[in-house]
Amino acid sequence: EKIFSGFSKTRNNLAVIDELLLYWNLSDTDRVLDQLEEALLVSDFGPKITIKIVDNLREDILSGKLKSGNEIKEALKRNVLELLTSKGSKTELQLGFRKPAVIMIVGVNGGGKTTSLGKLAYRLKNGGAKILMAAGDTFRAAASDQLEIWAERTGCEIVVAESEKAKASSVLVQAVKKGKELGFDIVLCDTSGRLHTNYSLMEELISCKKAVGKVVSGAPNEILLVLDGTTGLNMLPQAREFNEVVGVTGLILTKLDGSARGGCVVSVVDELGIPVKFVGVGEGVEDLQPFDAEAFVDAIFA
Ligand code: GDP
């Protein structure tokens, strides 16, 4: 329901397609596909994906596979669903068998990293896991206070920096060591989020990743990139850069309850081949949901 209302703008942009297809006939195909292309572009699908979808539809129309406006609409939805799911990547968390599993949460400032970490902790704890949080955002002074509030709210333990000068990697190492000694199932690591163009942030992420891998082999099991769903296609270069530097294993799309921009989700998943694992639909503890590609497609195409 929340996703459905969050995507109302995208849905409105795409609603024009229904009208177009209602009066579609074969001789009108070029005009209709041109307008469909425009509607997809306005909805943040990005040129590459838009052309891919429109070319697929054109081929199926001209070969006689699609014979009515209704069939074209269904094929459009199927195309988008396939783009979202065809990479074969797993949408569930892959946590391995060694304890503790380590999940690093990365992303630019303000995207919803700390909030998502808190919500994820709540979700995993409710599933029976013993969770330890690590306040690895040592750059922004208020970040560890914010995470401490989430630790309290969710009843999880937390490791914070002992001094202002502590390095992010040493906070994470301390947390993962504690997790190992005290039998925690999962350590959730917050990280600093400056601009993605900030080289030292990327260096820091690399050293965090290496450092936790020395404590538990195979860690981090997941590196989840948090992307603000309202930023549109701007999320693409961000995602590309984080992925190149640290190797992202899954996406968390936040603020889908706001005025989220739907099409770019498809672009990011298709271009990077990284699955969306969770979506954020609000600021409360329960407002993180596993990504459901079918519900997403239904929310953007009424
Ligand atoms: P960080 O800098 O990446 O750690 O971002 P924060 O976790 O501090 O979040 C930035 C702001 O976005 C805060 O006001 C959050 O409450 C808000 N926020 C995060 N996720 C969501 C979401 O899914 N929906 C809404 N509506 N707000 C969110």
Side-chain angles (χ1 to χ4, degrees):
E1 230 168 68
K2 280 183 174 172
I3 289 182
F4 194 80
S5 72
F7 281 120
S8 61
K9 199 167 159 223
T10 305
R11 199 163 53 248
N12 284 343
N13 288 335
L14 292 171
V16 64
I17 293 174
D18 286 341
E19 240 169 87
L20 282 170
L21 293 178
L22 196 63
Y23 301 110
W24 169 85
N25 62 56
L26 194 55
S27 62
D28 207 18
T29 299
D30 281 342
R31 189 187 64 86
V32 166
L33 287 183
D34 280 353
Q35 289 188 33
L36 195 148
E37 186 174 302
E38 207 174 305
L40 291 175
L41 287 173
V42 170
S43 310
D44 294 288
F45 275 80
K48 202 173 138 210
I49 288 289
T50 299
I51 291 171
K52 208 180 209 176
I53 293 173
V54 172
D55 283 353
N56 274 347
L57 291 177
R58 190 187 311 277
E59 203 180 309
D60 287 349
I61 291 171
L62 295 181
S63 70
K65 227 181 194 177
L66 303 174
K67 297 186 198 68
S68 67
N70 243 350
E71 284 181 7
I72 298 172
K73 172 80 183 283
E74 286 312 307
L76 170 62
K77 288 172 74 171
R78 222 172 27 246
N79 259 287
V80 173
L81 189 64
E82 270 166 23
L83 286 168
L84 281 171
T85 53
S86 66
K87 303 290 173 184
S89 11
K90 303 231 164 48
T91 52
E92 300 91 41
L93 290 174
Q94 306 295 306
L95 297 180
F97 55 89
R98 288 194 182 87
K99 294 280 174 71
V102 178
I103 301 177
M104 270 171 72
I105 310 283
V106 304
V108 299
N109 260 344
K113 251 183 298 90
T114 310
T115 311
S116 298
L117 192 156
K119 292 187 282 191
L120 185 58
Y122 178 79
R123 194 178 174 87
L124 294 170
K125 191 179 173 208
N126 272 357
K130 195 176 168 197
I131 305 292
L132 180 62
M133 295 181 178
D137 183 353
T138 50
F139 184 73
R140 195 165 59 95
S144 73
D145 297 345
Q146 198 187 336
L147 198 62
E148 278 185 289
I149 294 172
W150 275 103
E152 215 167 282
R153 197 179 283 166
T154 56
C156 293
E157 284 190 51
I158 181 169
V159 170
V160 297
E162 276 160 8
S163 84
E164 274 182 21
K165 288 195 193 104
K167 286 207 309 205
S169 56
S170 55
V171 177
L172 300 196
V173 163
Q174 195 190 333
V176 178
K177 279 186 177 159
K178 177 174 171 173
K180 202 170 170 180
E181 279 159 24
L182 300 183
F184 281 85
D185 297 306
I186 302 169
V187 181
L188 289 175
C189 305
D190 201 7
T191 62
S192 303
R194 279 152 272 166
L195 286 175
H196 60 100
T197 46
N198 183 320
Y199 188 64
S200 59
L201 162 71
M202 292 303 186
E203 292 271 280
E204 183 183 282
L205 284 182
I206 295 169
S207 69
C208 285
K209 184 178 172 180
K210 279 190 191 148
V212 297
K214 281 184 188 152
V215 187
V216 181
S217 138
N221 306 75
E222 292 271 9
I223 298 184
L224 302 179
L225 172 64
V226 174
L227 294 170
D228 180 335
T230 63
T231 56
L233 283 169
N234 283 343
M235 68 168 67
L236 201 57
Q238 255 179 54
R240 215 179 273 140
E241 175 130 11
F242 273 98
N243 190 38
E244 273 164 19
V245 177
V246 281
V248 174
T249 58
L251 305 173
I252 299 181
L253 285 173
T254 60
K255 310 185 192 179
L256 296 196
D257 52 313
S259 66
R261 310 178 58 169
C264 50
V265 177
V266 187
S267 282
V268 173
V269 171
D270 180 68
E271 181 166 331
L272 303 180
I274 302 170
V276 179
K277 300 214 166 182
F278 295 99
V279 294
V281 292
E283 296 171 276
V285 280
E286 294 187 346
D287 291 329
L288 187 80
Q289 304 175 350
F291 180 61
D292 178 343
E294 279 180 37
F296 170 84
V297 171
D298 284 340
I300 61 170
F301 297 107

